[in-house]
Amino acid sequence: MPRKSMIQMSALGAFALLSCLLFMFYKIGGSWSFALEERGIKLAAIGLTAVAIAVSTLIFQTLTQNRILTPSVMGLDSLYMLFQTLLVFFIGSNNPLMANKNINFIATLVLMIAFSFMLYHLLFRRERVSIYFLLLLGIVFGTLFQNGSSFMQMLIDPNEFLIVQGKMFASFNSVNGPVLGMASIVLILSLVYLAYWFKYLDVLRLGKDQAINLGVPYFKLARHLLIIVSIMVSVATALVGPVTFLGLLVVNVTYQLFDTYRHKVLIPGAILLSIIALVFGQWMVERIFTFNTTLSVIINFIGGAYFIYLLIKESRG
Amino acid sequence: MIETKQITKKYQNKTVLNAIDLEVPEKKITAFIGSNGAGKSTLLGIVSRLLKKEGGEVLIDDMDINEWKSKALSKKLAILKQNNQMTARLTVEDLVSFGRFPYSQGVLTKDDHEKVTEALAYMGLEPLRKNYLDALSGGQQQRAYIAMIIAQDTDYVLLDEPLNNLDMKNAVQMMKTLRRLVDDFGKTIILVLHDINFASCYADYMVGLKNGEIVAQGSTEEIMTSDKLKDIYDMHLDITEINQCKYCLYFK
Amino acid sequence: MRKWILVIMTILLAIMSVFVGVENVPLSDALHLTKEQVDILMISRFPRTVSIIIAGAGMSICGLIMQQLTRNRFVSPTTAGTLDAARLGVLVAIMVFPQATTLTKMLVAFVFSVAGTFIFIQLLNRIKFKDTIFIPLVGLMFGSIISSITTFFAYKNNLVQNINAWLQGDFSAVLRGRYEMLYITIPLFLIAYIYANRFTVVGMGESFAVNLGLNYKVIVAIGLTLVALMTSSVILTVGTIPFLGLIVPNIISIYSGDNLRQTLPLTALFGASFVLACDILGRLIIFPYEISISLMVGVIGSGIFIILLLRREKYAA
């Protein structure tokens, strides 16, 4: 790793650590053990989401060679919203599927992963598949789901809508121990799975033809990477709600900061940035806005502004 | 040896290649020639496995191309297309190092580093090794890609219009380099060429395509005649000889 | 050739659309309408049909232009932050002018979305971007900043559901006196057609455009402004309709290529007749009630597009 990247990475690491400490210990009063446990779980959930979103968006963009796509174009976020809306609409918010966090998590996760496999199965029956068609199909399904949910959301009783609205924005407040445990296991497994394919990622940046020329089993690789991406996105979304825009932001800031194609720099960089964004953002939501806004508001505002600042700064320099 | 049997390719309902049988001579430069849309690039794409074919087979060293493992094949055959769209920002050295990927899978050994250095030297790219590709001229970029192919160190090298966007001097240098690769290192090179005279001066063997079929093939000597070229290009061409090399004049 | 089929189809569907509805106005009465029937046609049916055609054609064209300008098939007309700016405008209209008429509120929102687009273009001019991907990228980031502001206030004031309902595509609310803003788009169609070739050229990149004697920045700005004006007048009068901007241009491009002069009319006609057909069906299926257009387009569109894509995929690649 070049020296400049080393320094940047260390700075990011230090900043991330600082945010975590701030998050854990700021104005900790009363019972330490209780507060630490509560905050610890939340922090772990944030870390897990940060890893899942950063890694999945990065490899998705590497695969599609497109800097503005996030895995949400595969329709997973919309499926999540549709499922939650359907539950509230048909069986009400008191049903265990909605009210019990563990059951809701498992059901959501299974549904999302099952959907991705169905989609890939539909396409990968053929030997070679164009990613372009896959993305178009994902968008079509996504729009369908999204419409279904917006339609039902209009009909839902306003009180029940508040429950749905709660699901519309990412939130770390409802995560509990068992759910976190399950999510961690799934995430770790998918990371191990990714490790096997990791060496091909840099080559993919050269484009499909070059990758094939250099002996990358492109179509097989694409299939496996897509599966990994869907599992990661499903875990993060089922855990805390839709957060994929974070991925777009973080990954683009990472490209801008590090200016490299090497995934062994990009991936840790993106993970650290997304930890900073989420932990710091969550801290602001809780301590400064006292829950009067949502995490996405803060991240999108600060992150978006920072990204544009980076671009303008680069153009001047 | 590279051999094709009865290759067919269709786009929509239009046949672009029809029953192509071809044996590419070893350790020679073979040029695919023909007018636009004759199927040259498509044939090259199929032989290099970048394009799928509807029928027929491609044999690389007597084994069907589909039977080859991607990694093994990438040590045997290299392909360079005419427009390399790349989103990544990398230096010349980075690009050439990628040529060693089939061997090292990304973690370069001492041997790999040597090959990269050799390839850079061979193409005269040492002063530029730390430069970013997007800051180079078209000719320099093309040389960097060729250096990558050299580092990849394959028996077969396939090039799709390697002279595109090169000026006269760069084009001549490129062809001389390719010639040396064949004469000094015993590579087999197949290329798609638009300029018939470059093909005549540097290629050993020519394959003329028209409307998706091979209409003429043979040594350069045999193909560079008015009659054969008329079959390929559908126009009358005069052949002259200067310094033992045949040129075809088509400008007026 | 195919253009004529589409023209005839659009005309037939438009005629049908005028004569389908709860109040019976048979086609046979067309030449001797009663006063009441004339009123129905002029107050409701005619505005509705016109707005469907404009919305269908307009959104599809906007998508096509955006995709050409950015050389990216996954860009939709709302990528330039137009939708986000319009949402902010709706929020401001609801909060600041609660008593105003609908048309006034629309105008407020329209001003916002146009202003948003101009800020966006200013932003682009300050950034030295290397390739066209930066247009949608900056648009997305810019949109996310605006949308975080909107969400911040909407969340505090419980207006999320309200704003979403406003922007949900719905033609039944299109009546005389609240749809006239759509006529702004008609001259825009013409300009779009005149500039079609230039957009194609600009899409090839800055050097290519300059080589042909075009002012790159100006053409991009014209394109974005066209798209912003059309998009905001459509989403504010009838709401957002899924698919049109993204999928319709893609389908047309798969079947007819990318020459804008040629595909622009095809895209417009296909978009218009598709929305007309969906709307007519939506009015007939549960007669005398009707199904909202976004749901119809969502469901029928998804079905048709999935079939088209899968069938097409068999031949392609």
Side-chain angles (χ1 to χ4, degrees), chain C residues 270-317:
Chain C
F270 186 69
S273 52
F274 173 65
V275 182
L276 277 169
C278 286
D279 182 70
I280 294 170
L281 275 176
R283 277 185 267 171
L284 292 176
I285 290 176
I286 49 168
F287 191 83
Y289 305 102
E290 62 178 78
I291 302 173
S292 91
I293 186 69
S294 26
L295 190 70
M296 282 311 288
V297 170
V299 174
I300 300 179
S302 311
I304 295 177
F305 292 135
I306 288 171
I307 293 170
L308 278 181
L309 284 175
L310 287 179
R311 248 190 46 195
R312 184 67 193 188
E313 169 67 346
K314 271 189 203 142
Y315 304 108

Side-chain angles (χ1 to χ4, degrees), chain A residues 66 132-133 143-144 147 153 315, chain C residues 72 128 161 242 250 302 313:
Chain A
N66 200 324
Y132 168 63
F133 275 99
T143 327
L144 175 64
N147 273 295
Q153 280 163 17
S315 311
Chain C
N72 195 312
K128 201 168 59 189
Q161 193 176 14
N250 271 296
S302 311
E313 169 67 346

Side-chain angles (χ1 to χ4, degrees), chain A residues 32 39-40 44 67 176 197 207 210 212 237 264-265 269 272 281 297 317:
Chain A
W32 268 58
R39 291 182 182 189
R67 270 181 84 170
N176 64 22
W197 301 100
Q210 280 298 349
I212 295 177
T237 312
K264 65 179 188 222
V265 176
L272 286 177
V297 166

Side-chain angles (χ1 to χ4, degrees), chain A residues 66-67 132-133 139-141 143-144 147 150 153 161 165 245 252 293-294 297 300-301 304-305 307 315, chain C residues 72-74 126-128 133-134 137 141 144-145 148 152 155 161 168 242 246 250 294 298 302 306 313:
Chain A
N66 200 324
R67 270 181 84 170
Y132 168 63
F133 275 99
I139 291 173
V140 173
F141 275 114
T143 327
L144 175 64
N147 273 295
S150 340
Q153 280 163 17
F161 178 78
Q165 180 179 318
F245 192 78
N252 275 295
T293 192
T294 68
V297 166
N300 292 0
F301 188 80
F307 178 76
S315 311
Chain C
N72 195 312
R73 294 203 183 283
F74 298 101
R126 283 165 170 265
I127 293 171
K128 201 168 59 189
I133 190 75
F134 281 90
L137 198 55
M141 298 296 171
S144 88
I145 297 174
S148 63
F152 181 77
Y155 195 79
Q161 193 176 14
Q168 172 88 348
L246 197 56
N250 271 296
S294 26
S302 311
I306 288 171
E313 169 67 346

Side-chain angles (χ1 to χ4, degrees), chain A residues 61-62 65-67 126-128 198-220 258-262 264 314, chain B residues 48-52 66 70-71 73-75 77-81 84-91 94-95 98-102 105-106 132 145 148-149 152:
Chain A
Q61 292 201 347
T62 296
Q65 300 255 310
N66 200 324
R67 270 181 84 170
R126 295 160 23 80
E127 182 201 352
R128 290 183 168 200
F198 184 79
K199 61 184 179 197
Y200 293 127
L201 292 179
D202 288 355
V203 191
L204 271 186
R205 289 251 149 187
L206 298 181
K208 178 177 143 193
D209 288 345
Q210 280 298 349
I212 295 177
N213 169 44
L214 293 171
V216 172
Y218 181 82
F219 296 99
K220 205 163 116 195
F258 288 100
D259 193 18
T260 178
Y261 62 93
R262 285 178 214 276
K264 65 179 188 222
E314 192 192 57
Chain B
S48 63
R49 80 198 175 294
L50 292 183
L51 291 179
K52 218 178 91 173
N66 296 327
S70 322
K71 195 170 138 185
L73 191 56
S74 66
K75 296 180 196 171
L77 180 152
I79 163 86
L80 187 64
K81 300 241 296 188
N84 290 284
Q85 298 161 329
M86 197 170 33
T87 51
R89 221 167 97 77
L90 30 90
T91 62
D94 289 335
L95 180 74
F98 271 116
R100 297 307 294 168
F101 187 83
Q105 304 290 298
Y132 279 98
Y145 277 103
M148 179 185 115
I149 299 282
Q152 198 179 338

Side-chain angles (χ1 to χ4, degrees), chain C residues 23-241:
Chain C
E23 293 298 331
N24 188 27
V25 185
L27 191 52
S28 49
D29 291 1
L31 294 174
H32 43 89
L33 294 166
T34 64
K35 168 99 187 26
E36 212 175 302
Q37 285 172 324
V38 172
D39 278 351
I40 290 166
L41 290 186
M42 293 318 289
I43 296 173
S44 153
R45 299 287 173 72
F46 182 68
R48 181 175 190 142
T49 305
V50 169
S51 58
I52 293 172
I53 294 174
I54 290 181
M59 291 307 278
S60 315
I61 286 184
C62 287
L64 183 64
I65 294 177
M66 277 302 271
Q67 287 160 19
Q68 281 286 340
L69 282 180
T70 59
R71 287 261 120 185
N72 195 312
R73 294 203 183 283
F74 298 101
V75 170
S76 72
T78 52
T79 315
T82 313
L83 181 59
D84 304 285
R87 273 170 60 98
L88 181 62
V90 171
L91 175 87
V92 170
I94 295 176
M95 280 175 62
V96 183
F97 311 101
Q99 308 300 331
T101 61
T102 321
L103 198 61
T104 318
K105 283 184 187 159
M106 272 182 207
L107 281 174
V108 171
F110 185 72
V111 170
F112 264 81
S113 66
V114 174
T117 308
F118 281 117
I119 297 176
F120 174 60
I121 292 172
Q122 282 306 313
L123 213 56
L124 279 183
N125 284 339
R126 283 165 170 265
I127 293 171
K128 201 168 59 189
F129 41 87
K130 288 165 225 131
D131 68 84
T132 41
I133 190 75
F134 281 90
I135 299 175
L137 198 55
V138 174
L140 282 170
M141 298 296 171
F142 176 66
S144 88
I145 297 174
I146 298 182
S147 122
S148 63
I149 298 171
T150 315
T151 311
F152 181 77
F153 290 105
Y155 195 79
K156 274 196 166 166
N157 298 299
N158 266 326
L159 290 171
V160 177
Q161 193 176 14
N162 202 332
I163 295 178
N164 286 355
W166 180 303
L167 296 173
Q168 172 88 348
D170 183 8
F171 286 112
S172 63
V174 173
L175 296 171
R176 191 162 69 189
R178 39 171 306 169
Y179 84 107
E180 283 76 1
M181 214 170 78
L182 274 179
Y183 286 112
I184 297 176
T185 53
I186 290 179
L188 301 180
F189 278 102
L190 216 66
I191 301 175
Y193 188 69
I194 296 170
Y195 272 85
N197 284 337
R198 274 164 251 195
F199 295 142
T200 314
V201 170
V202 161
M204 310 265 191
E206 182 160 9
S207 48
F208 197 90
V210 173
N211 170 39
L212 293 178
L214 292 178
N215 187 330
Y216 183 76
K217 290 222 152 117
V218 169
I219 304 283
V220 168
I222 291 175
L224 289 175
T225 312
L226 274 180
V227 169
L229 292 175
M230 280 171 127
T231 314
S232 36
S233 51
V234 170
I235 52 187
L236 287 168
T237 30
V238 299
T240 48
I241 308 169

